[in-house]
Amino acid sequence: MSLLTLFLLAFVGAITPGPDILLVMRNTLLFGFMQGVKILSGIASGWIVYLAVLYFGFGYLFNGKIAQIALSTLGAIYLAYIAFMLFKKSATHIDIPDSNLQNNNSQVSQDSNTLKDKPDTYLKALIINLSNPKAILFFSVIVAPFIESSPLISLSVLFCGLSSAFFSVILLATFFRNLICDRVFHIIDKICSILFACFSILLLYHAYDIFMS
């Protein structure tokens, strides 16, 4: 029962609104299933770092005041940068073709492949995850009590719960992607830029609140 509770805790915690799930959903909607998986691999690498810290008993490293202020500040700056880049992007940069459409041309397909193969997507996802106070709080405070007995099994169940949640979002976004026109893709980018900016402000407030406490 405790392992089932841990799985459900990980699943629900993963799908609650945050920069990680937003980044996965946006990239899957705009670029397809494989891009969503690529982003997830970066986020999952961050999970592995947190799980390793918990497994070896170094959870206190993320609970320190200086560490949380530094991570929150860096995360806020990076999210603000992403928000700015998304907001200034023109509609022509996100004209993503679907393989099932009949009116694709080779030039647009080539541009789409270039977008899909961005080398910074994995690193971007990793940085966002490691600088996310929600993830730090989730792993160091909420999850830690569940892994005192059988830590390896508990951490494996935790990883499966997190992965299941993100894969569910990727599959849903992949399905709905075929129902969205290019103009909506452009609107999605603008909405995501606003949400990333909000997350950035929240991170700065989090850092300020810790500093003043």
Side-chain angles (χ1 to χ4, degrees):
M1 183 60 67
S2 61
L3 292 178
L4 177 60
T5 302
L6 182 59
F7 180 90
L8 294 176
L9 181 65
F11 189 94
V12 174
I15 62 176
T16 54
D20 292 347
I21 202 72
L22 177 62
L23 187 66
V24 168
M25 183 180 67
R26 173 194 171 269
N27 278 266
T28 304
L29 285 173
L30 269 65
F31 303 109
F33 177 82
M34 290 308 299
Q35 183 69 5
V37 172
K38 184 186 294 186
I39 294 296
L40 176 55
S41 67
I43 294 172
S45 297
W47 296 340
I48 292 174
V49 172
Y50 287 124
L51 295 178
V53 167
L54 286 177
Y55 182 78
F56 292 107
F58 295 109
Y60 64 90
L61 293 176
F62 290 108
N63 292 327
K65 186 174 181 179
I66 296 178
Q68 289 203 31
I69 292 175
L71 289 173
S72 297
T73 303
L74 292 175
I77 294 173
Y78 193 63
L79 287 177
Y81 168 75
I82 294 176
F84 173 74
M85 296 302 292
L86 289 178
F87 189 80
K88 77 170 188 176
K89 183 184 291 185
S90 63
T92 55
H93 291 144
I94 58 171
D95 186 15
I96 308 299
D98 190 284
S99 58
N100 296 324
L101 298 179
Q102 300 298 321
N103 60 349
N104 290 339
N105 57 66
S106 59
Q107 183 60 43
V108 175
S109 297
Q110 182 178 355
D111 292 341
S112 176
N113 290 332
T114 300
L115 285 172
K116 289 180 181 179
D117 293 333
K118 285 183 177 180
D120 63 339
T121 52
Y122 171 87
L123 183 59
K124 178 187 295 184
L126 178 61
I127 293 174
I128 288 177
N129 181 261
L130 290 178
S131 62
N132 183 7
K134 172 193 167 185
I136 297 171
L137 180 66
F138 181 78
F139 281 99
S140 62
V141 178
I142 300 177
V143 173
F146 286 87
I147 64 171
E148 293 179 356
S149 61
S150 303
L152 188 58
I153 297 176
S154 298
L155 293 178
S156 299
V157 171
L158 176 64
F159 188 86
C160 290
L162 294 170
S163 301
S164 298
F166 274 77
F167 266 114
S168 298
V169 171
I170 290 174
L171 291 175
L172 285 173
T174 301
F175 172 78
F176 285 107
R177 178 176 185 264
N178 297 324
L179 307 177
I180 300 175
C181 65
D182 292 336
R183 177 172 176 77
V184 176
F185 284 139
H186 181 61
I187 295 175
I188 289 173
D189 255 353
K190 301 310 177 193
I191 293 175
C192 287
S193 71
I194 295 173
L195 292 176
F196 276 124
C198 291
F199 287 131
S200 175
I201 294 173
L202 289 175
L203 284 180
L204 285 177
Y205 177 79
H206 179 74
Y208 173 78
D209 188 51
I210 294 175
F211 179 77
M212 296 300 294
S213 62

